[in-house]
């Protein structure tokens, strides 16, 4: 189920922005304590919850690659 209200605030922003936000704020009691892969997995989960289609490859945890992926509105069928 698409939860557009979360995604609407991120339209046009690169995934790297969300990545940096997650690193600086979670987990709440120990920000930055997860691995880069774990933060990327959280992003993939958020995207899936918001109805975004999965890609052919696993989401990269490299900031340079995440900068090249922008949040977009999901096209409704």
């Amino acid at each position: 189920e698409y939860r557009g209200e979360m995604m609407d605030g991120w339209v046009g922003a690169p995934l790297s922005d969300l990545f940096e936000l997650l690193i600086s704020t979670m987990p709440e009691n120990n920000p930055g304590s997860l691995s880069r892969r774990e933060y990327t997995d959280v992003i993939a989960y958020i995207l899936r919850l918001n109805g975004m289609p999965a890609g052919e490859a696993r989401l990269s945890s490299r900031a340079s690659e995440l900068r090249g992926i922008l949040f977009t509105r999901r096209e409704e069928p």
Side-chain angles (χ1 to χ4, degrees):
E1 171 181 325
Y2 175 60
R3 293 173 176 80
E5 58 278 351
M6 182 275 171
M7 297 298 289
D8 286 346
W10 288 90
V11 171
L15 290 184
S16 59
D17 286 2
L18 179 56
F19 186 80
E20 295 300 324
L21 176 68
L22 294 177
I23 288 174
S24 66
T25 61
M26 86 172 260
E28 185 177 9
N29 63 342
N30 194 9
S33 62
L34 303 178
S35 70
R36 294 182 68 81
R37 171 54 45 207
E38 288 170 316
Y39 286 111
T40 305
D41 288 345
V42 170
I43 291 172
Y45 179 71
I46 290 169
L47 294 174
R48 191 179 98 224
L49 282 180
N50 282 276
M52 303 307 287
E56 293 182 17
R58 189 171 188 182
L59 191 59
S60 174
S61 60
R62 296 180 61 168
S64 60
E65 291 181 30
L66 293 174
R67 270 192 290 283
I69 304 171
L70 302 181
F71 282 96
T72 60
R73 289 197 197 290
R74 179 175 161 245
E75 295 298 322
E76 295 296 327

Coordinates of all heavy atoms in Angstrom, one line a residue:
E1 N 0.8 -1.2 0.0 CA 0.0 0.0 0.0 C 0.9 1.2 0.0 O 1.8 1.4 0.8 CB -0.9 0.0 1.2 CG -1.6 1.2 1.4 CD -2.5 1.2 2.7 OE1 -3.0 0.1 3.0 OE2 -2.6 2.2 3.3
Y2 N 0.6 2.2 -0.9 CA 1.4 3.4 -1.0 C 1.1 4.3 0.1 O -0.1 4.7 0.3 CB 1.1 4.0 -2.4 CG 1.8 5.4 -2.6 CD1 3.2 5.5 -2.5 CD2 1.0 6.5 -2.8 CE1 3.8 6.7 -2.7 CE2 1.6 7.7 -3.0 CZ 3.0 7.8 -3.0 OH 3.6 9.0 -3.2
R3 N 2.1 4.8 0.8 CA 1.9 5.8 1.9 C 2.5 7.1 1.4 O 3.6 7.5 1.9 CB 2.5 5.3 3.2 CG 1.8 4.0 3.8 CD 2.6 3.5 4.9 NE 1.9 2.4 5.6 CZ 2.0 1.2 5.1 NH1 2.6 0.8 4.0 NH2 1.3 0.2 5.8
G4 N 1.9 7.7 0.5 CA 2.4 8.9 -0.2 C 2.8 10.0 0.7 O 3.7 10.8 0.4
E5 N 2.2 10.1 1.9 CA 2.5 11.3 2.7 C 3.9 11.3 3.2 O 4.5 12.3 3.3 CB 1.5 11.4 3.9 CG 1.5 10.1 4.8 CD 0.6 9.0 4.3 OE1 -0.2 9.2 3.4 OE2 0.6 7.9 4.9
M6 N 4.5 10.1 3.4 CA 5.9 10.1 3.8 C 6.8 10.4 2.6 O 7.7 11.2 2.7 CB 6.3 8.6 4.3 CG 7.7 8.5 4.8 SD 8.9 8.2 3.4 CE 10.4 8.3 4.2
M7 N 6.5 9.9 1.5 CA 7.3 10.1 0.3 C 7.2 11.5 -0.2 O 8.2 12.0 -0.8 CB 7.0 9.0 -0.8 CG 7.2 7.6 -0.4 SD 8.9 7.2 0.0 CE 9.6 7.3 -1.6
D8 N 6.1 12.1 -0.1 CA 5.9 13.4 -0.7 C 6.9 14.4 -0.2 O 7.4 15.3 -1.0 CB 4.5 13.9 -0.4 CG 3.4 13.2 -1.3 OD1 3.8 12.5 -2.2 OD2 2.2 13.3 -0.9
G9 N 7.3 14.4 1.0 CA 8.3 15.3 1.5 C 9.7 15.1 1.0 O 10.5 15.9 1.2
W10 N 9.9 13.9 0.4 CA 11.2 13.6 -0.1 C 11.4 13.7 -1.6 O 12.5 13.5 -2.2 CB 11.6 12.2 0.4 CG 11.9 12.1 1.8 CD1 11.0 11.9 2.8 CD2 13.2 12.3 2.4 NE1 11.6 11.9 4.0 CE2 13.0 12.2 3.8 CE3 14.4 12.6 2.0 CZ2 14.0 12.3 4.7 CZ3 15.5 12.7 2.9 CH2 15.2 12.6 4.2
V11 N 10.3 13.9 -2.3 CA 10.3 14.0 -3.8 C 11.4 14.9 -4.3 O 11.5 16.1 -3.8 CB 9.0 14.3 -4.4 CG1 9.0 14.6 -5.9 CG2 7.9 13.3 -4.1
G12 N 12.3 14.5 -5.1 CA 13.4 15.2 -5.7 C 14.7 15.1 -4.9 O 15.7 15.5 -5.4
A13 N 14.6 14.6 -3.7 CA 15.8 14.4 -2.8 C 16.5 13.1 -3.2 O 15.9 12.1 -3.5 CB 15.4 14.5 -1.4
P14 N 17.8 13.1 -3.1 CA 18.6 11.9 -3.3 C 18.5 10.9 -2.1 O 18.3 11.4 -0.9 CB 20.0 12.3 -3.5 CG 20.1 13.6 -2.7 CD 18.7 14.2 -2.8
L15 N 18.6 9.7 -2.3 CA 18.6 8.7 -1.2 C 19.7 8.9 -0.2 O 19.6 8.6 0.9 CB 18.7 7.3 -1.8 CG 17.5 6.7 -2.6 CD1 17.8 5.2 -2.9 CD2 16.2 6.8 -1.8
S16 N 20.8 9.5 -0.7 CA 21.9 9.8 0.2 C 21.4 10.8 1.4 O 21.9 10.7 2.5 CB 23.1 10.4 -0.5 OG 22.7 11.6 -1.2
D17 N 20.4 11.6 1.1 CA 19.9 12.5 2.2 C 19.3 11.7 3.3 O 19.5 11.9 4.5 CB 18.9 13.5 1.6 CG 19.6 14.6 0.8 OD1 20.8 14.6 0.7 OD2 18.8 15.5 0.4
L18 N 18.5 10.7 2.9 CA 17.8 9.9 3.9 C 18.9 9.0 4.6 O 18.8 8.8 5.8 CB 16.8 9.0 3.2 CG 16.0 8.0 4.2 CD1 15.4 8.7 5.3 CD2 15.0 7.2 3.4
F19 N 19.8 8.5 3.9 CA 20.9 7.7 4.4 C 21.6 8.5 5.6 O 21.8 8.0 6.7 CB 21.9 7.4 3.3 CG 23.0 6.4 3.7 CD1 22.8 5.1 3.9 CD2 24.3 6.9 4.0 CE1 23.8 4.2 4.2 CE2 25.3 6.1 4.3 CZ 25.1 4.7 4.5
E20 N 22.0 9.8 5.3 CA 22.7 10.6 6.3 C 21.7 10.9 7.5 O 22.2 10.9 8.6 CB 23.1 11.9 5.6 CG 24.2 11.7 4.6 CD 25.5 11.0 5.1 OE1 25.9 11.3 6.3 OE2 26.1 10.3 4.4
L21 N 20.5 11.1 7.2 CA 19.5 11.4 8.3 C 19.4 10.1 9.2 O 19.5 10.3 10.4 CB 18.1 11.7 7.7 CG 17.0 11.9 8.8 CD1 17.3 13.1 9.6 CD2 15.7 11.9 8.1
L22 N 19.4 9.0 8.6 CA 19.3 7.7 9.4 C 20.5 7.6 10.3 O 20.4 7.2 11.4 CB 19.0 6.5 8.5 CG 17.7 6.5 7.8 CD1 17.7 5.2 6.9 CD2 16.5 6.5 8.8
I23 N 21.7 7.8 9.7 CA 23.0 7.6 10.4 C 23.0 8.6 11.6 O 23.5 8.2 12.7 CB 24.2 7.9 9.5 CG1 24.3 6.7 8.5 CG2 25.4 8.1 10.3 CD1 25.4 6.9 7.5
S24 N 22.5 9.8 11.4 CA 22.6 10.8 12.5 C 21.5 10.7 13.6 O 21.6 11.3 14.6 CB 22.6 12.2 11.9 OG 21.4 12.5 11.3
T25 N 20.5 9.8 13.3 CA 19.3 9.8 14.2 C 18.9 8.4 14.7 O 18.1 8.3 15.6 CB 18.1 10.4 13.6 OG1 17.7 9.7 12.4 CG2 18.3 11.9 13.3
M26 N 19.5 7.3 14.1 CA 19.1 6.0 14.6 C 20.2 5.0 14.7 O 21.2 5.2 14.0 CB 17.9 5.5 13.7 CG 18.4 4.8 12.5 SD 17.0 4.0 11.6 CE 17.2 2.4 12.1
P27 N 20.1 4.1 15.6 CA 19.0 4.1 16.6 C 19.0 5.2 17.6 O 20.1 5.8 17.8 CB 19.2 2.7 17.3 CG 20.6 2.4 17.1 CD 21.0 3.1 15.9
E28 N 17.9 5.6 18.1 CA 17.8 6.7 19.0 C 18.8 6.8 20.1 O 19.4 7.8 20.4 CB 16.4 6.8 19.5 CG 16.1 8.1 20.3 CD 14.7 8.2 20.8 OE1 13.9 7.2 20.7 OE2 14.3 9.3 21.3
N29 N 19.1 5.6 20.7 CA 20.0 5.6 21.8 C 21.4 5.5 21.4 O 22.3 5.5 22.3 CB 19.6 4.5 22.8 CG 19.7 3.1 22.2 OD1 19.8 3.0 20.9 ND2 19.8 2.0 23.0
N30 N 21.7 5.3 20.1 CA 23.1 5.1 19.7 C 23.3 5.4 18.2 O 23.6 4.5 17.4 CB 23.6 3.7 20.0 CG 25.1 3.6 19.9 OD1 25.8 4.6 19.8 ND2 25.6 2.4 20.0
P31 N 23.0 6.7 17.8 CA 23.0 7.0 16.4 C 24.4 6.6 15.7 O 25.4 6.8 16.4 CB 22.8 8.5 16.3 CG 22.1 8.8 17.6 CD 22.7 7.8 18.6
G32 N 24.3 6.1 14.5 CA 25.5 5.8 13.8 C 26.1 4.4 14.1 O 27.2 4.1 13.6
S33 N 25.4 3.7 14.9 CA 26.0 2.4 15.4 C 25.8 1.2 14.5 O 26.4 0.2 14.6 CB 25.5 2.1 16.8 OG 24.1 1.9 16.8
L34 N 24.9 1.4 13.5 CA 24.6 0.3 12.5 C 25.7 0.3 11.4 O 26.4 1.3 11.2 CB 23.2 0.4 11.9 CG 22.1 0.5 12.9 CD1 20.8 0.7 12.2 CD2 22.0 -0.8 13.8
S35 N 25.8 -0.8 10.7 CA 26.7 -0.8 9.5 C 26.0 0.0 8.4 O 24.8 0.2 8.3 CB 27.0 -2.2 9.1 OG 25.8 -2.8 8.5
R36 N 26.8 0.4 7.4 CA 26.3 1.1 6.2 C 25.3 0.2 5.5 O 24.3 0.7 5.1 CB 27.5 1.4 5.3 CG 28.4 2.4 5.9 CD 29.5 2.8 4.9 NE 29.0 3.6 3.7 CZ 28.7 4.9 3.7 NH1 28.9 5.6 4.8 NH2 28.3 5.5 2.6
R37 N 25.5 -1.1 5.5 CA 24.6 -2.0 4.8 C 23.3 -2.1 5.6 O 22.2 -2.1 5.0 CB 25.2 -3.4 4.8 CG 24.3 -4.6 4.4 CD 23.5 -4.4 3.0 NE 24.3 -3.9 1.9 CZ 23.8 -3.3 0.9 NH1 22.6 -3.0 0.8 NH2 24.6 -2.9 -0.1
E38 N 23.3 -2.0 6.9 CA 22.1 -2.0 7.7 C 21.2 -0.8 7.4 O 20.0 -0.8 7.3 CB 22.4 -2.2 9.2 CG 22.8 -3.6 9.5 CD 23.4 -3.7 10.9 OE1 24.1 -2.9 11.4 OE2 23.0 -4.7 11.6
Y39 N 21.9 0.4 7.4 CA 21.2 1.6 7.1 C 20.6 1.5 5.6 O 19.4 2.0 5.4 CB 22.1 2.8 7.2 CG 22.4 3.2 8.6 CD1 23.6 3.0 9.2 CD2 21.4 3.7 9.4 CE1 23.9 3.4 10.5 CE2 21.6 4.0 10.8 CZ 22.9 3.9 11.3 OH 23.2 4.2 12.6
T40 N 21.3 1.0 4.7 CA 20.8 0.8 3.4 C 19.6 -0.1 3.3 O 18.6 0.1 2.6 CB 21.9 0.3 2.4 OG1 23.0 1.2 2.5 CG2 21.4 0.3 1.0
D41 N 19.7 -1.2 4.1 CA 18.5 -2.1 4.2 C 17.3 -1.4 4.8 O 16.2 -1.7 4.3 CB 18.9 -3.3 5.0 CG 19.9 -4.3 4.3 OD1 20.1 -4.1 3.1 OD2 20.5 -5.1 5.0
V42 N 17.5 -0.5 5.7 CA 16.4 0.3 6.3 C 15.7 1.1 5.2 O 14.5 1.2 5.0 CB 16.8 1.1 7.5 CG1 15.7 2.1 7.9 CG2 17.2 0.2 8.6
I43 N 16.6 1.8 4.3 CA 16.1 2.6 3.2 C 15.3 1.7 2.3 O 14.2 2.1 1.8 CB 17.2 3.3 2.5 CG1 17.8 4.4 3.4 CG2 16.7 3.9 1.2 CD1 19.1 5.0 2.8
A44 N 15.8 0.5 1.9 CA 15.1 -0.4 1.0 C 13.7 -0.8 1.6 O 12.7 -0.8 0.9 CB 15.9 -1.6 0.7
Y45 N 13.7 -1.0 2.9 CA 12.5 -1.4 3.6 C 11.5 -0.2 3.5 O 10.3 -0.4 3.2 CB 12.8 -1.8 5.0 CG 11.5 -2.1 5.8 CD1 10.8 -3.3 5.5 CD2 11.1 -1.3 6.8 CE1 9.7 -3.7 6.3 CE2 9.9 -1.6 7.6 CZ 9.3 -2.8 7.3 OH 8.2 -3.2 8.0
I46 N 11.9 1.0 3.8 CA 11.1 2.2 3.7 C 10.5 2.3 2.3 O 9.3 2.6 2.1 CB 11.8 3.5 4.1 CG1 12.1 3.4 5.6 CG2 11.0 4.7 3.8 CD1 13.1 4.5 6.1
L47 N 11.3 2.2 1.3 CA 10.9 2.3 -0.1 C 9.8 1.2 -0.4 O 8.8 1.5 -1.0 CB 12.1 2.2 -1.1 CG 13.1 3.3 -1.0 CD1 14.3 3.0 -1.9 CD2 12.5 4.6 -1.4
R48 N 10.1 0.0 0.0 CA 9.1 -1.1 -0.2 C 7.8 -0.8 0.5 O 6.7 -1.0 -0.1 CB 9.7 -2.4 0.3 CG 8.8 -3.6 -0.2 CD 9.3 -4.9 0.2 NE 8.6 -5.3 1.4 CZ 9.1 -5.8 2.5 NH1 10.4 -6.0 2.7 NH2 8.3 -6.0 3.6
L49 N 7.8 -0.3 1.7 CA 6.6 0.0 2.4 C 5.8 1.1 1.7 O 4.6 1.2 1.8 CB 6.9 0.5 3.8 CG 7.2 -0.5 4.9 CD1 7.5 0.2 6.2 CD2 6.1 -1.5 5.0
N50 N 6.5 2.0 1.0 CA 5.8 3.0 0.3 C 5.5 2.7 -1.2 O 5.2 3.6 -2.0 CB 6.7 4.3 0.4 CG 6.5 5.0 1.7 OD1 5.6 5.7 1.9 ND2 7.4 4.6 2.6
G51 N 5.5 1.4 -1.5 CA 5.1 0.9 -2.8 C 6.1 1.1 -3.9 O 5.7 1.0 -5.1
M52 N 7.3 1.4 -3.6 CA 8.3 1.6 -4.7 C 8.8 0.3 -5.2 O 9.0 -0.7 -4.4 CB 9.5 2.4 -4.2 CG 9.1 3.8 -3.7 SD 8.1 4.8 -4.8 CE 9.3 5.3 -5.9
P53 N 8.9 0.1 -6.5 CA 9.3 -1.2 -7.1 C 10.8 -1.5 -6.7 O 11.6 -0.6 -6.6 CB 9.1 -1.0 -8.6 CG 9.2 0.5 -8.8 CD 8.7 1.1 -7.5
A54 N 11.0 -2.8 -6.6 CA 12.4 -3.2 -6.3 C 13.2 -3.1 -7.6 O 12.7 -3.3 -8.7 CB 12.4 -4.7 -5.8
G55 N 14.5 -2.9 -7.4 CA 15.4 -2.8 -8.6 C 15.9 -4.2 -8.9 O 15.6 -5.2 -8.2
E56 N 16.7 -4.3 -9.9 CA 17.3 -5.6 -10.3 C 18.5 -6.0 -9.4 O 18.8 -7.1 -9.2 CB 17.7 -5.6 -11.7 CG 16.6 -5.5 -12.7 CD 17.0 -5.5 -14.1 OE1 18.1 -5.9 -14.4 OE2 16.2 -5.1 -15.0
A57 N 19.1 -5.0 -8.8 CA 20.3 -5.2 -7.9 C 20.0 -4.7 -6.5 O 19.1 -3.8 -6.3 CB 21.5 -4.5 -8.5
R58 N 20.8 -5.2 -5.6 CA 20.6 -4.7 -4.2 C 21.1 -3.2 -4.1 O 22.0 -2.8 -4.8 CB 21.5 -5.5 -3.3 CG 21.3 -5.3 -1.8 CD 22.1 -6.3 -1.0 NE 21.7 -6.1 0.4 CZ 22.2 -6.8 1.3 NH1 23.1 -7.8 1.1 NH2 21.9 -6.6 2.6
L59 N 20.4 -2.5 -3.3 CA 20.6 -1.0 -3.2 C 22.1 -0.9 -2.6 O 22.5 -1.5 -1.7 CB 19.6 -0.4 -2.2 CG 19.6 1.1 -2.1 CD1 19.3 1.7 -3.4 CD2 18.5 1.5 -1.1
S60 N 22.8 0.0 -3.3 CA 24.2 0.2 -2.8 C 24.2 1.0 -1.5 O 23.4 1.8 -1.2 CB 24.9 1.0 -3.9 OG 26.2 1.4 -3.5
S61 N 25.3 0.8 -0.8 CA 25.5 1.5 0.5 C 26.6 2.6 0.3 O 27.0 3.2 1.2 CB 25.9 0.6 1.6 OG 27.1 -0.1 1.3
R62 N 27.0 2.8 -1.0 CA 27.9 3.9 -1.3 C 27.2 5.2 -1.5 O 26.3 5.3 -2.3 CB 28.7 3.5 -2.6 CG 29.5 2.3 -2.4 CD 30.2 1.9 -3.6 NE 31.1 3.1 -3.9 CZ 32.1 3.1 -4.8 NH1 32.3 2.0 -5.5 NH2 32.8 4.1 -5.0
A63 N 27.6 6.2 -0.7 CA 27.0 7.5 -0.8 C 27.0 8.1 -2.2 O 26.0 8.7 -2.6 CB 27.7 8.5 0.2
S64 N 28.1 7.9 -2.9 CA 28.1 8.4 -4.3 C 27.1 7.9 -5.2 O 26.5 8.5 -6.0 CB 29.5 8.2 -4.9 OG 29.8 6.8 -4.9
E65 N 26.7 6.6 -5.0 CA 25.7 6.0 -5.8 C 24.3 6.4 -5.3 O 23.4 6.6 -6.1 CB 25.9 4.5 -5.8 CG 27.1 4.0 -6.6 CD 27.3 2.5 -6.6 OE1 26.3 1.8 -6.6 OE2 28.4 2.1 -6.7
L66 N 24.1 6.5 -4.0 CA 22.8 6.9 -3.4 C 22.5 8.3 -3.8 O 21.3 8.7 -4.0 CB 22.8 6.8 -1.9 CG 22.9 5.4 -1.4 CD1 23.0 5.4 0.1 CD2 21.7 4.5 -1.8
R67 N 23.5 9.2 -4.1 CA 23.3 10.6 -4.5 C 22.6 10.6 -5.9 O 21.9 11.5 -6.2 CB 24.6 11.4 -4.5 CG 24.9 12.1 -3.2 CD 26.0 13.1 -3.4 NE 27.3 12.5 -3.6 CZ 28.0 11.9 -2.6 NH1 27.6 11.9 -1.4 NH2 29.2 11.4 -2.9
G68 N 22.9 9.6 -6.7 CA 22.4 9.5 -8.0 C 21.0 8.9 -8.1 O 20.4 8.9 -9.2
I69 N 20.4 8.6 -7.0 CA 19.0 8.0 -7.0 C 18.1 9.0 -6.3 O 18.3 9.3 -5.1 CB 19.0 6.6 -6.3 CG1 19.9 5.6 -6.9 CG2 17.5 6.1 -6.3 CD1 20.1 4.4 -6.1
L70 N 17.1 9.5 -7.0 CA 16.2 10.5 -6.5 C 14.9 9.9 -6.1 O 14.4 9.0 -6.8 CB 16.0 11.7 -7.5 CG 17.2 12.4 -8.0 CD1 16.8 13.5 -8.9 CD2 18.0 13.0 -6.8
F71 N 14.3 10.4 -5.1 CA 12.9 10.0 -4.7 C 12.0 10.6 -5.8 O 12.1 11.8 -6.2 CB 12.5 10.6 -3.4 CG 13.0 9.9 -2.2 CD1 14.2 10.3 -1.6 CD2 12.4 8.8 -1.7 CE1 14.7 9.6 -0.4 CE2 12.9 8.1 -0.6 CZ 14.0 8.5 0.0
T72 N 11.1 9.8 -6.3 CA 10.1 10.2 -7.2 C 8.7 9.8 -6.7 O 8.6 8.9 -5.9 CB 10.3 9.7 -8.6 OG1 10.3 8.2 -8.6 CG2 11.7 10.1 -9.2
R73 N 7.7 10.4 -7.3 CA 6.4 9.9 -7.0 C 6.1 8.6 -7.7 O 6.5 8.4 -8.9 CB 5.3 10.9 -7.5 CG 5.3 12.2 -6.7 CD 4.0 12.9 -7.0 NE 4.1 14.3 -6.6 CZ 4.2 14.7 -5.3 NH1 4.1 13.8 -4.4 NH2 4.2 16.0 -5.0
R74 N 5.5 7.7 -7.0 CA 5.1 6.4 -7.6 C 4.0 6.6 -8.6 O 3.0 7.3 -8.2 CB 4.8 5.4 -6.6 CG 4.4 4.1 -7.2 CD 4.2 3.1 -6.0 NE 3.4 2.0 -6.6 CZ 2.2 1.7 -6.2 NH1 1.6 2.3 -5.3 NH2 1.5 0.7 -6.8
E75 N 4.1 6.1 -9.8 CA 3.0 6.2 -10.7 C 1.9 5.2 -10.3 O 2.2 4.0 -10.2 CB 3.5 5.9 -12.1 CG 4.5 7.0 -12.6 CD 3.9 8.4 -12.7 OE1 2.7 8.5 -13.1 OE2 4.6 9.3 -12.4
E76 N 0.7 5.7 -10.2 CA -0.4 4.8 -9.9 C -0.9 4.1 -11.2 O -0.9 4.7 -12.2 CB -1.6 5.5 -9.3 CG -1.3 6.2 -7.9 CD -1.0 5.1 -6.8 OE1 -1.6 4.1 -6.8 OE2 -0.1 5.4 -5.9
P77 N -1.2 2.8 -11.1 CA -1.6 2.1 -12.3 C -2.9 2.6 -12.9 O -3.7 3.2 -12.3 CB -1.8 0.6 -11.9 CG -1.7 0.6 -10.4 CD -1.2 2.0 -9.9

